[in-house]
Each structure stands twice: as C-alpha cells, then as structure tokens.
Amino acid sequence: MDIIYNAQERPAYATAQTKTEDKVRAAEFAALSNPLVFAARAFEKDGNTVLAVLTEPIYLASDRAKLKELLTTEASAAAGSPVTLTFDLDVYRRISPDMSDEVKAFIIKKLGI
C-alpha cells in the first residue's frame, strides 16, 4: 500500500510559526526603512511583539519620542498587530533566533508589557 504524501500541505504548527516569523520580520523591515535606524531585532511571545532598535545618536528627548512614536506606528501597521518598541541596548543584545522562553518572559517583564 502506498502512502500518498502531499508536500504542499504544511502542519498547523508550521503554519502558525511562519505567520509569527512574518510579523516579526515585517516589524524589523519597517523599522529599518527609517534612515536613522541601523539595526533592528524583534520577537513575538503570546501575541506581544517586541522590537528593539539601534539608531544614530539622537540628542533631543523630543526627537527621540517622535521617532519612537513613528517607528511604533509603522511597525504595528506592517506587522498587523501592536508592537512595543524599545531603544534599550540590553534588550537588543538578548534578542536572538534561538532565545528561550525564559529570556522572552524576562524581556516582556522588563518592558512592563
């Protein structure tokens, strides 16, 4: 008896993971489209998307607040869900593709989400 395997059907967990990765990448690319941003990393856990960015030096607090609002709006629109943006270097360094759930929970707690 032959087993028919349809290579085009993906398991449900793989589809959900792909959607999550697409949201994260969309948020990163939206941030990187701004000329002041030179690096961005993001992750999603339990529907919370966290985006950490590194920027050129911004000296005025008002300019920094405007940039944060602009980037948050653009990243949220690109991802299709709310995004929490941070300029925190420690958070940026901790975000990696293979980070554990404990690290994700720590970052979310640190940001007060």
Side-chain angles (χ1 to χ4, degrees), residues 16-17 19-21 23-24 42-50 81-84 99-109 113:
Q17 183 179 5
K19 287 180 183 177
T20 299
E21 289 174 359
K23 284 184 184 180
V24 168
F43 73 91
E44 184 177 29
K45 180 175 177 18
D46 301 330
N48 297 318
T49 303
V50 176
S81 64
V83 172
T84 303
M99 60 194 280
S100 67
D101 286 337
E102 291 82 18
V103 174
K104 290 178 182 180
F106 171 77
I107 291 172
I108 289 173
K109 184 178 177 183
I113 301 172

PDB file of all heavy atoms in Angstrom, residues 16-17 19-21 23-24 42-50 81-84 99-109 113:
ATOM      1  N   ALA A  16       1.530  28.286  11.797  1.00  0.00           N
ATOM      2  CA  ALA A  16       1.483  29.291  12.862  1.00  0.00           C
ATOM      3  C   ALA A  16       2.853  29.914  13.083  1.00  0.00           C
ATOM      4  O   ALA A  16       2.981  31.124  13.280  1.00  0.00           O
ATOM      5  CB  ALA A  16       0.974  28.665  14.156  1.00  0.00           C
ATOM      6  N   GLN A  17       3.897  29.094  13.031  1.00  0.00           N
ATOM      7  CA  GLN A  17       5.253  29.597  13.217  1.00  0.00           C
ATOM      8  C   GLN A  17       5.632  30.540  12.075  1.00  0.00           C
ATOM      9  O   GLN A  17       6.263  31.578  12.295  1.00  0.00           O
ATOM     10  CB  GLN A  17       6.238  28.444  13.298  1.00  0.00           C
ATOM     11  CG  GLN A  17       7.660  28.883  13.552  1.00  0.00           C
ATOM     12  CD  GLN A  17       8.620  27.709  13.662  1.00  0.00           C
ATOM     13  OE1 GLN A  17       8.236  26.563  13.456  1.00  0.00           O
ATOM     14  NE2 GLN A  17       9.854  27.985  13.975  1.00  0.00           N
ATOM     15  N   LYS A  19       3.593  32.416  10.305  1.00  0.00           N
ATOM     16  CA  LYS A  19       2.869  33.674  10.482  1.00  0.00           C
ATOM     17  C   LYS A  19       3.558  34.551  11.516  1.00  0.00           C
ATOM     18  O   LYS A  19       3.673  35.761  11.344  1.00  0.00           O
ATOM     19  CB  LYS A  19       1.426  33.405  10.885  1.00  0.00           C
ATOM     20  CG  LYS A  19       0.571  32.879   9.758  1.00  0.00           C
ATOM     21  CD  LYS A  19      -0.840  32.636  10.209  1.00  0.00           C
ATOM     22  CE  LYS A  19      -1.668  32.035   9.091  1.00  0.00           C
ATOM     23  NZ  LYS A  19      -3.028  31.730   9.530  1.00  0.00           N
ATOM     24  N   THR A  20       4.019  33.937  12.607  1.00  0.00           N
ATOM     25  CA  THR A  20       4.726  34.680  13.647  1.00  0.00           C
ATOM     26  C   THR A  20       6.013  35.267  13.089  1.00  0.00           C
ATOM     27  O   THR A  20       6.327  36.429  13.327  1.00  0.00           O
ATOM     28  CB  THR A  20       5.034  33.769  14.849  1.00  0.00           C
ATOM     29  OG1 THR A  20       3.804  33.285  15.384  1.00  0.00           O
ATOM     30  CG2 THR A  20       5.800  34.504  15.925  1.00  0.00           C
ATOM     31  N   GLU A  21       6.778  34.474  12.359  1.00  0.00           N
ATOM     32  CA  GLU A  21       8.030  34.948  11.776  1.00  0.00           C
ATOM     33  C   GLU A  21       7.773  36.077  10.778  1.00  0.00           C
ATOM     34  O   GLU A  21       8.553  37.025  10.700  1.00  0.00           O
ATOM     35  CB  GLU A  21       8.767  33.796  11.108  1.00  0.00           C
ATOM     36  CG  GLU A  21       9.354  32.805  12.089  1.00  0.00           C
ATOM     37  CD  GLU A  21       9.962  31.591  11.411  1.00  0.00           C
ATOM     38  OE1 GLU A  21       9.918  31.508  10.168  1.00  0.00           O
ATOM     39  OE2 GLU A  21      10.466  30.731  12.131  1.00  0.00           O
ATOM     40  N   LYS A  23       5.330  38.307  10.892  1.00  0.00           N
ATOM     41  CA  LYS A  23       5.032  39.516  11.664  1.00  0.00           C
ATOM     42  C   LYS A  23       6.306  40.148  12.191  1.00  0.00           C
ATOM     43  O   LYS A  23       6.506  41.351  12.122  1.00  0.00           O
ATOM     44  CB  LYS A  23       4.121  39.191  12.850  1.00  0.00           C
ATOM     45  CG  LYS A  23       2.702  38.966  12.519  1.00  0.00           C
ATOM     46  CD  LYS A  23       1.944  38.750  13.814  1.00  0.00           C
ATOM     47  CE  LYS A  23       0.506  38.424  13.581  1.00  0.00           C
ATOM     48  NZ  LYS A  23      -0.199  38.224  14.857  1.00  0.00           N
ATOM     49  N   VAL A  24       7.184  39.305  12.729  1.00  0.00           N
ATOM     50  CA  VAL A  24       8.438  39.787  13.309  1.00  0.00           C
ATOM     51  C   VAL A  24       9.304  40.418  12.231  1.00  0.00           C
ATOM     52  O   VAL A  24       9.839  41.520  12.416  1.00  0.00           O
ATOM     53  CB  VAL A  24       9.173  38.622  14.016  1.00  0.00           C
ATOM     54  CG1 VAL A  24      10.583  39.001  14.379  1.00  0.00           C
ATOM     55  CG2 VAL A  24       8.392  38.192  15.249  1.00  0.00           C
ATOM     56  N   ALA A  42      13.564  41.684  16.562  1.00  0.00           N
ATOM     57  CA  ALA A  42      12.223  41.567  17.127  1.00  0.00           C
ATOM     58  C   ALA A  42      11.922  40.112  17.459  1.00  0.00           C
ATOM     59  O   ALA A  42      12.558  39.192  16.943  1.00  0.00           O
ATOM     60  CB  ALA A  42      11.191  42.106  16.153  1.00  0.00           C
ATOM     61  N   PHE A  43      10.929  39.926  18.330  1.00  0.00           N
ATOM     62  CA  PHE A  43      10.407  38.602  18.631  1.00  0.00           C
ATOM     63  C   PHE A  43       8.960  38.749  19.053  1.00  0.00           C
ATOM     64  O   PHE A  43       8.493  39.847  19.368  1.00  0.00           O
ATOM     65  CB  PHE A  43      11.226  37.890  19.719  1.00  0.00           C
ATOM     66  CG  PHE A  43      11.014  38.440  21.103  1.00  0.00           C
ATOM     67  CD1 PHE A  43      10.043  37.928  21.941  1.00  0.00           C
ATOM     68  CD2 PHE A  43      11.798  39.478  21.571  1.00  0.00           C
ATOM     69  CE1 PHE A  43       9.854  38.436  23.213  1.00  0.00           C
ATOM     70  CE2 PHE A  43      11.630  39.989  22.837  1.00  0.00           C
ATOM     71  CZ  PHE A  43      10.643  39.472  23.671  1.00  0.00           C
ATOM     72  N   GLU A  44       8.239  37.628  19.030  1.00  0.00           N
ATOM     73  CA  GLU A  44       6.842  37.629  19.464  1.00  0.00           C
ATOM     74  C   GLU A  44       6.628  36.509  20.460  1.00  0.00           C
ATOM     75  O   GLU A  44       7.135  35.398  20.298  1.00  0.00           O
ATOM     76  CB  GLU A  44       5.908  37.451  18.269  1.00  0.00           C
ATOM     77  CG  GLU A  44       4.454  37.549  18.656  1.00  0.00           C
ATOM     78  CD  GLU A  44       3.518  37.449  17.472  1.00  0.00           C
ATOM     79  OE1 GLU A  44       3.886  36.801  16.490  1.00  0.00           O
ATOM     80  OE2 GLU A  44       2.433  38.017  17.559  1.00  0.00           O
ATOM     81  N   LYS A  45       5.897  36.821  21.524  1.00  0.00           N
ATOM     82  CA  LYS A  45       5.531  35.820  22.521  1.00  0.00           C
ATOM     83  C   LYS A  45       4.145  36.152  23.028  1.00  0.00           C
ATOM     84  O   LYS A  45       3.896  37.262  23.478  1.00  0.00           O
ATOM     85  CB  LYS A  45       6.522  35.802  23.676  1.00  0.00           C
ATOM     86  CG  LYS A  45       6.193  34.776  24.758  1.00  0.00           C
ATOM     87  CD  LYS A  45       7.272  34.740  25.802  1.00  0.00           C
ATOM     88  CE  LYS A  45       7.065  33.839  26.961  1.00  0.00           C
ATOM     89  NZ  LYS A  45       6.150  32.793  26.940  1.00  0.00           N
ATOM     90  N   ASP A  46       3.246  35.200  22.945  1.00  0.00           N
ATOM     91  CA  ASP A  46       1.879  35.345  23.438  1.00  0.00           C
ATOM     92  C   ASP A  46       1.179  36.574  22.859  1.00  0.00           C
ATOM     93  O   ASP A  46       0.492  37.313  23.562  1.00  0.00           O
ATOM     94  CB  ASP A  46       1.854  35.412  24.966  1.00  0.00           C
ATOM     95  CG  ASP A  46       2.452  34.175  25.615  1.00  0.00           C
ATOM     96  OD1 ASP A  46       2.360  33.098  25.005  1.00  0.00           O
ATOM     97  OD2 ASP A  46       3.001  34.297  26.722  1.00  0.00           O
ATOM     98  N   GLY A  47       1.389  36.835  21.596  1.00  0.00           N
ATOM     99  CA  GLY A  47       0.732  37.959  20.945  1.00  0.00           C
ATOM    100  C   GLY A  47       1.397  39.305  21.164  1.00  0.00           C
ATOM    101  O   GLY A  47       0.950  40.308  20.639  1.00  0.00           O
ATOM    102  N   ASN A  48       2.461  39.344  21.953  1.00  0.00           N
ATOM    103  CA  ASN A  48       3.212  40.579  22.187  1.00  0.00           C
ATOM    104  C   ASN A  48       4.426  40.600  21.272  1.00  0.00           C
ATOM    105  O   ASN A  48       5.274  39.719  21.353  1.00  0.00           O
ATOM    106  CB  ASN A  48       3.681  40.674  23.636  1.00  0.00           C
ATOM    107  CG  ASN A  48       2.542  40.734  24.610  1.00  0.00           C
ATOM    108  OD1 ASN A  48       1.560  41.424  24.372  1.00  0.00           O
ATOM    109  ND2 ASN A  48       2.657  40.018  25.710  1.00  0.00           N
ATOM    110  N   THR A  49       4.524  41.607  20.424  1.00  0.00           N
ATOM    111  CA  THR A  49       5.690  41.762  19.564  1.00  0.00           C
ATOM    112  C   THR A  49       6.577  42.844  20.152  1.00  0.00           C
ATOM    113  O   THR A  49       6.127  43.944  20.421  1.00  0.00           O
ATOM    114  CB  THR A  49       5.282  42.154  18.138  1.00  0.00           C
ATOM    115  OG1 THR A  49       4.383  41.164  17.629  1.00  0.00           O
ATOM    116  CG2 THR A  49       6.485  42.247  17.222  1.00  0.00           C
ATOM    117  N   VAL A  50       7.835  42.491  20.372  1.00  0.00           N
ATOM    118  CA  VAL A  50       8.819  43.426  20.929  1.00  0.00           C
ATOM    119  C   VAL A  50       9.843  43.707  19.845  1.00  0.00           C
ATOM    120  O   VAL A  50      10.382  42.787  19.227  1.00  0.00           O
ATOM    121  CB  VAL A  50       9.503  42.835  22.177  1.00  0.00           C
ATOM    122  CG1 VAL A  50      10.591  43.759  22.682  1.00  0.00           C
ATOM    123  CG2 VAL A  50       8.476  42.564  23.264  1.00  0.00           C
ATOM    124  N   SER A  81      -0.264  43.925  14.003  1.00  0.00           N
ATOM    125  CA  SER A  81      -0.588  43.789  15.424  1.00  0.00           C
ATOM    126  C   SER A  81       0.230  44.814  16.200  1.00  0.00           C
ATOM    127  O   SER A  81       1.225  45.329  15.686  1.00  0.00           O
ATOM    128  CB  SER A  81      -0.275  42.376  15.915  1.00  0.00           C
ATOM    129  OG  SER A  81       1.096  42.107  15.830  1.00  0.00           O
ATOM    130  N   PRO A  82      -0.161  45.104  17.446  1.00  0.00           N
ATOM    131  CA  PRO A  82       0.582  46.098  18.225  1.00  0.00           C
ATOM    132  C   PRO A  82       2.036  45.680  18.462  1.00  0.00           C
ATOM    133  O   PRO A  82       2.332  44.513  18.705  1.00  0.00           O
ATOM    134  CB  PRO A  82      -0.171  46.176  19.548  1.00  0.00           C
ATOM    135  CG  PRO A  82      -1.503  45.588  19.285  1.00  0.00           C
ATOM    136  CD  PRO A  82      -1.328  44.621  18.161  1.00  0.00           C
ATOM    137  N   VAL A  83       2.933  46.658  18.372  1.00  0.00           N
ATOM    138  CA  VAL A  83       4.361  46.424  18.573  1.00  0.00           C
ATOM    139  C   VAL A  83       4.844  47.332  19.695  1.00  0.00           C
ATOM    140  O   VAL A  83       4.497  48.505  19.741  1.00  0.00           O
ATOM    141  CB  VAL A  83       5.155  46.714  17.276  1.00  0.00           C
ATOM    142  CG1 VAL A  83       6.649  46.660  17.514  1.00  0.00           C
ATOM    143  CG2 VAL A  83       4.757  45.742  16.180  1.00  0.00           C
ATOM    144  N   THR A  84       5.640  46.766  20.593  1.00  0.00           N
ATOM    145  CA  THR A  84       6.287  47.555  21.635  1.00  0.00           C
ATOM    146  C   THR A  84       7.716  47.807  21.196  1.00  0.00           C
ATOM    147  O   THR A  84       8.463  46.860  20.960  1.00  0.00           O
ATOM    148  CB  THR A  84       6.267  46.811  22.980  1.00  0.00           C
ATOM    149  OG1 THR A  84       4.918  46.507  23.332  1.00  0.00           O
ATOM    150  CG2 THR A  84       6.905  47.640  24.070  1.00  0.00           C
ATOM    151  N   MET A  99      16.534  32.210  21.225  1.00  0.00           N
ATOM    152  CA  MET A  99      16.358  32.581  22.623  1.00  0.00           C
ATOM    153  C   MET A  99      15.263  31.739  23.275  1.00  0.00           C
ATOM    154  O   MET A  99      14.316  31.316  22.632  1.00  0.00           O
ATOM    155  CB  MET A  99      16.076  34.069  22.768  1.00  0.00           C
ATOM    156  CG  MET A  99      14.838  34.559  22.067  1.00  0.00           C
ATOM    157  SD  MET A  99      14.758  36.341  21.938  1.00  0.00           S
ATOM    158  CE  MET A  99      14.192  36.795  23.511  1.00  0.00           C
ATOM    159  N   SER A 100      15.420  31.509  24.570  1.00  0.00           N
ATOM    160  CA  SER A 100      14.487  30.660  25.307  1.00  0.00           C
ATOM    161  C   SER A 100      13.245  31.448  25.720  1.00  0.00           C
ATOM    162  O   SER A 100      13.220  32.677  25.699  1.00  0.00           O
ATOM    163  CB  SER A 100      15.179  30.098  26.548  1.00  0.00           C
ATOM    164  OG  SER A 100      15.467  31.145  27.456  1.00  0.00           O
ATOM    165  N   ASP A 101      12.232  30.714  26.133  1.00  0.00           N
ATOM    166  CA  ASP A 101      11.008  31.352  26.609  1.00  0.00           C
ATOM    167  C   ASP A 101      11.247  32.141  27.887  1.00  0.00           C
ATOM    168  O   ASP A 101      10.572  33.134  28.147  1.00  0.00           O
ATOM    169  CB  ASP A 101       9.918  30.310  26.845  1.00  0.00           C
ATOM    170  CG  ASP A 101       9.333  29.791  25.544  1.00  0.00           C
ATOM    171  OD1 ASP A 101       9.438  30.501  24.526  1.00  0.00           O
ATOM    172  OD2 ASP A 101       8.762  28.687  25.554  1.00  0.00           O
ATOM    173  N   GLU A 102      12.218  31.714  28.701  1.00  0.00           N
ATOM    174  CA  GLU A 102      12.537  32.436  29.933  1.00  0.00           C
ATOM    175  C   GLU A 102      13.098  33.824  29.621  1.00  0.00           C
ATOM    176  O   GLU A 102      12.766  34.799  30.273  1.00  0.00           O
ATOM    177  CB  GLU A 102      13.538  31.653  30.790  1.00  0.00           C
ATOM    178  CG  GLU A 102      12.989  30.387  31.400  1.00  0.00           C
ATOM    179  CD  GLU A 102      12.995  29.208  30.447  1.00  0.00           C
ATOM    180  OE1 GLU A 102      13.726  29.246  29.418  1.00  0.00           O
ATOM    181  OE2 GLU A 102      12.242  28.258  30.708  1.00  0.00           O
ATOM    182  N   VAL A 103      13.947  33.908  28.615  1.00  0.00           N
ATOM    183  CA  VAL A 103      14.517  35.202  28.217  1.00  0.00           C
ATOM    184  C   VAL A 103      13.418  36.095  27.650  1.00  0.00           C
ATOM    185  O   VAL A 103      13.356  37.285  27.947  1.00  0.00           O
ATOM    186  CB  VAL A 103      15.667  35.024  27.203  1.00  0.00           C
ATOM    187  CG1 VAL A 103      16.157  36.357  26.679  1.00  0.00           C
ATOM    188  CG2 VAL A 103      16.812  34.241  27.837  1.00  0.00           C
ATOM    189  N   LYS A 104      12.539  35.522  26.840  1.00  0.00           N
ATOM    190  CA  LYS A 104      11.422  36.290  26.300  1.00  0.00           C
ATOM    191  C   LYS A 104      10.551  36.837  27.431  1.00  0.00           C
ATOM    192  O   LYS A 104      10.167  38.010  27.417  1.00  0.00           O
ATOM    193  CB  LYS A 104      10.583  35.433  25.358  1.00  0.00           C
ATOM    194  CG  LYS A 104      11.268  35.090  24.056  1.00  0.00           C
ATOM    195  CD  LYS A 104      10.387  34.210  23.200  1.00  0.00           C
ATOM    196  CE  LYS A 104      11.091  33.812  21.911  1.00  0.00           C
ATOM    197  NZ  LYS A 104      10.255  32.945  21.064  1.00  0.00           N
ATOM    198  N   ALA A 105      10.254  35.989  28.409  1.00  0.00           N
ATOM    199  CA  ALA A 105       9.440  36.418  29.546  1.00  0.00           C
ATOM    200  C   ALA A 105      10.139  37.505  30.345  1.00  0.00           C
ATOM    201  O   ALA A 105       9.517  38.476  30.798  1.00  0.00           O
ATOM    202  CB  ALA A 105       9.114  35.236  30.446  1.00  0.00           C
ATOM    203  N   PHE A 106      11.461  37.384  30.497  1.00  0.00           N
ATOM    204  CA  PHE A 106      12.235  38.400  31.216  1.00  0.00           C
ATOM    205  C   PHE A 106      12.161  39.751  30.511  1.00  0.00           C
ATOM    206  O   PHE A 106      11.961  40.795  31.141  1.00  0.00           O
ATOM    207  CB  PHE A 106      13.693  37.958  31.358  1.00  0.00           C
ATOM    208  CG  PHE A 106      14.605  39.017  31.896  1.00  0.00           C
ATOM    209  CD1 PHE A 106      14.621  39.326  33.232  1.00  0.00           C
ATOM    210  CD2 PHE A 106      15.435  39.732  31.040  1.00  0.00           C
ATOM    211  CE1 PHE A 106      15.441  40.314  33.731  1.00  0.00           C
ATOM    212  CE2 PHE A 106      16.269  40.725  31.516  1.00  0.00           C
ATOM    213  CZ  PHE A 106      16.277  41.017  32.873  1.00  0.00           C
ATOM    214  N   ILE A 107      12.299  39.740  29.199  1.00  0.00           N
ATOM    215  CA  ILE A 107      12.264  40.986  28.426  1.00  0.00           C
ATOM    216  C   ILE A 107      10.879  41.610  28.513  1.00  0.00           C
ATOM    217  O   ILE A 107      10.748  42.824  28.714  1.00  0.00           O
ATOM    218  CB  ILE A 107      12.677  40.728  26.959  1.00  0.00           C
ATOM    219  CG1 ILE A 107      14.158  40.389  26.894  1.00  0.00           C
ATOM    220  CG2 ILE A 107      12.361  41.934  26.090  1.00  0.00           C
ATOM    221  CD1 ILE A 107      14.630  39.931  25.533  1.00  0.00           C
ATOM    222  N   ILE A 108       9.850  40.808  28.375  1.00  0.00           N
ATOM    223  CA  ILE A 108       8.482  41.327  28.460  1.00  0.00           C
ATOM    224  C   ILE A 108       8.225  41.926  29.836  1.00  0.00           C
ATOM    225  O   ILE A 108       7.630  42.996  29.963  1.00  0.00           O
ATOM    226  CB  ILE A 108       7.470  40.232  28.098  1.00  0.00           C
ATOM    227  CG1 ILE A 108       7.545  39.953  26.586  1.00  0.00           C
ATOM    228  CG2 ILE A 108       6.063  40.606  28.516  1.00  0.00           C
ATOM    229  CD1 ILE A 108       6.722  38.797  26.111  1.00  0.00           C
ATOM    230  N   LYS A 109       8.717  41.254  30.879  1.00  0.00           N
ATOM    231  CA  LYS A 109       8.552  41.781  32.238  1.00  0.00           C
ATOM    232  C   LYS A 109       9.347  43.084  32.420  1.00  0.00           C
ATOM    233  O   LYS A 109       8.869  44.042  33.019  1.00  0.00           O
ATOM    234  CB  LYS A 109       9.018  40.757  33.263  1.00  0.00           C
ATOM    235  CG  LYS A 109       8.809  41.173  34.684  1.00  0.00           C
ATOM    236  CD  LYS A 109       9.238  40.092  35.647  1.00  0.00           C
ATOM    237  CE  LYS A 109       9.081  40.563  37.078  1.00  0.00           C
ATOM    238  NZ  LYS A 109       9.563  39.561  38.021  1.00  0.00           N
ATOM    239  N   ILE A 113       5.181  44.959  29.806  1.00  0.00           N
ATOM    240  CA  ILE A 113       4.079  44.667  28.883  1.00  0.00           C
ATOM    241  C   ILE A 113       3.062  43.779  29.581  1.00  0.00           C
ATOM    242  O   ILE A 113       3.372  42.832  30.194  1.00  0.00           O
ATOM    243  CB  ILE A 113       4.577  43.983  27.587  1.00  0.00           C
ATOM    244  CG1 ILE A 113       5.566  44.902  26.910  1.00  0.00           C
ATOM    245  CG2 ILE A 113       3.446  43.655  26.670  1.00  0.00           C
ATOM    246  CD1 ILE A 113       6.275  44.282  25.729  1.00  0.00           C
TER     247      ILE A 113
END
